[in-house]
Amino acid sequence: METFKEIADNIDWKSTSNSIYSKTEVDVEKALNTAKPNLEDFKALISPAAEPYLEEMAQKSNALTLERFGNTIQMYAPLYLSNECQNICTYCGFSLDVKIERKTLTDEEILAEVKVLKSYGYDHVLIVTGEANKTVGVDYIKNAIQLMTPHFSHISIEVQPLEQNEYEELIAEGLNTVLVYQETYNRDNYKKHHPKGKKSNYDYRIETHDRLGKAGIHKMGVGVLIGLEDWRTDSFFAASHLSYLEKKYWKSNYAISFPRLRPCAGGVELKSVMTDKQLVQLICAYRIFNQEIELSMSTRESDTFRNNIIKLGITSISADSKTDPGGYANPNTNLEQFEIHDKRTTSQFIQTIKDQGYEPVFKGWDGALQ
Ligand code: SF4
């Protein structure tokens, strides 16, 4: 079976885009009424032609999610360990060329963060670092996982792409989930937004999920940074990537996130601006396309949007997040990656979830079951 890099190289961006934009109401209705939607149906669901069907899509997404996940929402918290980074990414507050104070947490500082998150009730932590191999390489991440395994039953990472043997080493220490977003699947635009550093290697990044699948990871996350490219075309590539991975690495589980670009110190002009309605459309399209997948939402989005999205297909959500290393125990907004939109506390957000008839779940998966 060919790799996804080879598959993606053979999907023409422009004709894919044209195909999405030329979908009709007939295509959308077919996609909504078929038992097993395929990638052509996904195109119809994310197309402009599907916009008048948003209510119907939302109802279907809600029903499919309830059937598969019940009325539960998994809670997680990001834990930023370092803002050091050797890459230039045009959209990120941690980019090498952004003049901010750099900080990497010591063991004591990591444990201080853990203590705060435990006091909030979290049992699933997402470790986040910049990409700086000398300071936050595999050994640093491994040590962080060792510090956290006594405290959390689910450990995820969002760090630089690694080699298969490095993933295997971290899985043996208790790593459960790895999130690696391609940012954009448009090769030319990718180059423009990642001009320097290891991340400028598009091929190495797009092959990461194959290395993860071979390493036997429990769950992996796929996605794009919404705003860098036309969101519909980029999302189609992400959905194709997901379909490929599910077939090839069927023992792993999958998650999709929907990061929309937010203001940051090194701000970038967006190629496409996605409205709230379009984000709802995309979330529902993914759920209708794939009933099994985890759909995740961060605090980048506003209070109102997050309140409304709970019933529409999202199954995993963060709250009370800090994007500066050390931000839970010793907040310093000068160190943060991007500005958080929803600033409610964990307990306030939990109440919001409950008010909507849903149950926040802090412990949904135990790494010991792996
Ligand atoms: S997106 Fe990641 S790799 Fe790029 S500058 Fe930010 S932290 Fe570094």
Side-chain angles (χ1 to χ4, degrees), residues 85 87 89 91-92 94-95 129-131 183 199 337:
C85 193
N87 292 319
C89 301
Y91 47 81
C92 178
F94 291 173
S95 185
T129 69
E131 298 193 7
E183 317 296 15
K199 193 169 175 180
Q337 188 187 32

Side-chain angles (χ1 to χ4, degrees), residues 2-17 19-20 39-40 43 185-187 202 206 233-234 236-241 244:
E2 54 189 345
T3 65
F4 186 69
K5 182 188 101 57
E6 290 160 348
I7 293 171
D9 282 347
N10 284 317
I11 308 176
D12 180 62
W13 184 276
K14 193 137 197 354
S15 51
T16 300
S17 192
S19 154
I20 295 168
L39 280 165
E40 282 304 309
K43 278 184 187 170
Y185 286 85
N186 183 302
R187 200 179 264 277
Y202 175 98
I206 206 170
T233 315
D234 240 349
F236 172 76
F237 275 79
S240 306
H241 199 172
Y244 157 86

